């Protein structure tokens, strides 16, 4: 698999400070911010700061420090948003996964009882 990262994607622009975001948490390797079109009371996106287009790209090519920093950001988002009753972490990937923004992100969705994982 060849991964080709497009640095004109909207999350790359957020990371460069070219467009605003509502930051929930940030560390050296990851940024978490509110989704602009929330689908649940809690809907936060966690993204790595490095140029990775998808979960599998990040899993294969990111360093241990990047993996660690990303997962610590996920933990902080869960703590800050208080999703103790549960949540769903989703990483839509490429065409079959219906990924709209080609910069790796994990949706953290919670704050209410969610529906079943797949509807079709
Ligand atoms: P996906 O379909 O998994 O790639 O999800 C992309 C997500 O990015 C969607 O839930 C959008 O609502 C969200 N999104 C798009 N633009 C922005 C933005 N400028 N700030 C925050 N979230 C955004």
């Amino acid at each position: 698999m060849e991964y080709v990262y497009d640095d004109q994607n909207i999350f790359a622009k957020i990371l460069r400070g070219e467009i605003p975001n509502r930051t929930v948490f940030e560390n050296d390797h990851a940024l978490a911010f509110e989704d602009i079109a929330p689908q649940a009371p809690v809907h936060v996106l966690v993204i790595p700061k490095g140029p990775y287009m998808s979960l599998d790209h990040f899993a294969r090519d990111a360093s241990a420090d990047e993996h660690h920093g990303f997962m610590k950001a996920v933990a902080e988002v869960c703590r800050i948003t208080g999703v103790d009753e549960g949540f769903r972490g989703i990483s839509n990937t490429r065409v079959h996964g219906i990924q709209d923004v080609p910069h790796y992100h994990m949706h953290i969705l919670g704050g209410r009882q969610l529906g079943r994982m797949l509807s079709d």
Side-chain angles (χ1 to χ4, degrees):
M1 177 74 197
E2 183 185 3
Y3 300 109
V4 179
Y5 181 79
D6 171 13
D7 69 4
Q8 293 307 305
N9 76 77
I10 197 150
F11 294 169
K13 292 178 180 177
I14 285 176
L15 285 169
R16 290 194 295 267
E18 294 168 10
I19 61 171
N21 74 94
R22 296 182 66 174
T23 298
V24 174
F25 179 77
E26 182 172 12
N27 64 23
D28 285 348
H29 296 293
L31 175 68
F33 54 93
E34 294 180 8
D35 195 291
I36 203 166
Q39 297 186 43
V42 173
H43 190 171
V44 175
L45 302 171
V46 186
I47 69 173
K49 290 188 174 177
Y52 304 103
M53 62 180 291
S54 59
L55 169 59
D56 50 338
H57 186 196
F58 182 71
R60 190 187 73 178
D61 290 351
S63 68
D65 281 352
E66 289 175 303
H67 288 160
H68 182 75
F70 183 87
M71 284 302 177
K72 287 296 182 186
V74 171
E76 283 301 305
V77 168
C78 292
R79 183 186 64 78
I80 291 164
T81 59
V83 287
D84 297 3
E85 300 295 317
F87 66 95
R88 188 168 293 152
I90 298 175
S91 292
N92 300 317
T93 304
R94 292 193 292 285
V95 175
H96 282 184
I98 312 181
Q99 179 179 4
D100 292 323
V101 180
H103 181 109
Y104 172 47
H105 50 283
M106 182 183 289
H107 297 255
I108 302 292
L109 293 148
R112 66 168 168 81
Q113 177 67 60
L114 302 170
R116 291 279 173 194
M117 186 168 66
L118 297 178
S119 59
D120 58 8

